Amino acid sequence: MSKSDASSERESVLACTDCLDPADAFALIGNETRLAILEALWAADDRPVAFSELRREVGMRDSAQFNYHLQKLLGQFVVGSEDGYDFKHAGEKVVRSVIAGSFNEHPTIDPFPVEGSCVACGGPLEARYRDERLAIGCRDCGHGHGEYGFPPGGLNDRTRDEVAAAFDQRVKHLHCLAADGVCPECSGRVESHVVEDDDCCLGATVRIDHECVQCGHTLCSAPGLRLLDHSQVVGFHRERGVSLDERPYWTLPWCVSDEYTTVVDRDPIRLRVRVPLEGDELRATLDADLEVLETTVESAD
């Protein structure tokens, strides 16, 4: 398939003859009853949910009025069948956003200490939360170790240590998806580019910029984050008694400092990331698409 054919196919898949304007779609759910219907579907033990059961859960006696609001949701947020009603993906996204607190919660928490030490000065690290973003940084010199979106709902019912652990897992998964070409926001196609400058939340002069061609979502990462789930890197650590799953990304210098990343070629682009551990060192060579081309291990022995 040629590039133009692929582009045409993508356009035909996204073409829609009966889609709502985004403003109209949001207007549909700007109603207390319709939000209650979506929340009742979410709370149901089993789906599809029968009309009578759904109306009972919402607490509306007037069947005709309830049906009016339900019909407004059909096709865009809810799907109906002989067995009852269930979510479409957009309906689930609305409820998940409400649960995450992005629409109605604006919490703030005091900075709290986290595991590890600063890669720049060795000082203590702390987490700061503001404007739905959590940042890891050095308390002494201010050097950043990553700042990413973290929905307010992620703070609920968690200790500070649990918040830090959840943030670590979220960041790892976000970058794995983006590096694999999948947008963590809309599942659209992500393009990744190697950038050499110091304008990054990680303070790195060599970074990877990920951008979704569909929704425009962007993500900045150190090249080393791509290696967190690579089999050779995981095995290298396991053989030395270390589980990467249990190590927060900000405690791994090769994930937060460009000191361990070298541009070894520019035509085509090639990166080499050094991963030291207990005197040994794994060296991974990556191409512009963040594919691992080669790994070697230099032993201290």
Side-chain angles (χ1 to χ4, degrees):
M1 181 184 295
S2 69
K3 185 175 182 179
S4 60
D5 290 338
S7 176
S8 176
E9 181 180 357
R10 285 195 293 273
E11 290 175 0
S12 66
V13 169
L14 293 175
C16 182
T17 59
D18 60 352
C19 290
L20 285 179
D21 180 89
D24 293 334
F26 279 106
L28 282 178
I29 57 174
N31 175 279
E32 186 176 347
T33 299
R34 293 168 202 168
L35 279 176
I37 291 172
L38 295 177
E39 290 174 345
L41 277 175
W42 180 270
D45 292 331
D46 296 297
R47 291 194 292 267
V49 182
F51 179 91
S52 58
E53 181 182 349
L54 195 56
R55 180 167 64 88
R56 183 171 60 252
E57 290 300 318
V58 171
M60 179 173 283
R61 292 187 176 184
D62 189 328
S63 178
Q65 185 72 3
F66 177 78
N67 186 58
Y68 168 80
H69 288 293
L70 180 58
Q71 292 301 315
K72 289 292 185 180
L73 295 172
L74 281 175
Q76 305 299 326
F77 300 99
V78 172
V79 61
S81 67
E82 293 182 357
D83 298 322
Y85 299 90
D86 202 346
F87 280 119
K88 294 193 73 173
H89 179 68
E92 280 192 321
K93 288 286 286 185
V94 168
V95 180
R96 288 182 187 277
S97 294
V98 172
I99 291 172
S102 296
F103 289 158
N104 55 356
E105 295 182 17
H106 305 284
T108 58
I109 58 177
D110 293 331
F112 59 92
V114 294
E115 179 183 347
S117 57
C118 177
V119 295
C121 74
L125 298 178
E126 65 180 11
R128 293 178 174 269
Y129 188 80
R130 186 173 64 178
D131 297 333
E132 299 187 12
R133 296 180 68 82
L134 196 150
I136 305 295
C138 178
R139 194 168 60 199
D140 290 346
C141 73
H143 183 83
H145 292 60
E147 178 180 340
Y148 303 98
F150 193 69
L155 306 177
N156 292 338
D157 299 322
R158 283 192 171 119
T159 65
R160 296 296 185 259
D161 287 345
E162 289 170 340
V163 167
F167 175 70
D168 173 53
Q169 290 301 317
R170 176 178 171 81
V171 171
K172 289 175 178 176
H173 288 300
L174 287 177
H175 285 293
C176 284
L177 279 172
D180 287 335
V182 180
C183 177
E185 290 295 321
C186 75
S187 297
R189 182 167 56 88
V190 168
E191 293 182 348
S192 300
H193 305 281
V194 177
V195 178
E196 295 182 70
D197 66 31
D198 57 1
D199 182 21
C200 180
C201 59
L202 294 169
T205 56
V206 179
R207 73 174 195 264
I208 308 299
D209 279 358
H210 308 281
E211 182 173 3
C212 176
V213 300
Q214 179 166 279
C215 74
H217 177 71
T218 59
L219 200 63
C220 161
S221 74
L225 283 167
R226 179 64 173 114
L227 301 174
L228 284 171
D229 63 349
H230 190 272
S231 60
Q232 296 297 321
V233 179
V234 172
F236 173 74
H237 284 77
R238 184 188 301 115
E239 291 168 4
R240 290 156 182 80
V242 175
S243 172
L244 276 181
D245 288 339
E246 299 173 1
R247 290 285 182 94
Y249 81 85
W250 60 82
T251 67
L252 302 167
W254 43 277
C255 285
V256 293
S257 171
D258 72 330
E259 177 185 345
Y260 298 87
T261 300
T262 305
V263 178
V264 295
D265 204 344
R266 289 184 173 83
D267 188 20
I269 194 74
R270 294 288 184 268
L271 301 177
R272 181 167 298 141
V273 179
R274 298 184 295 109
V275 181
L277 183 63
E278 295 183 356
D280 298 332
E281 185 174 272
L282 180 143
R283 297 177 183 176
T285 303
L286 291 74
D287 64 13
D289 296 322
L290 304 184
E291 293 296 325
V292 177
L293 305 177
E294 176 187 42
T295 62
T296 60
V297 175
E298 298 291 331
S299 176
D301 299 335

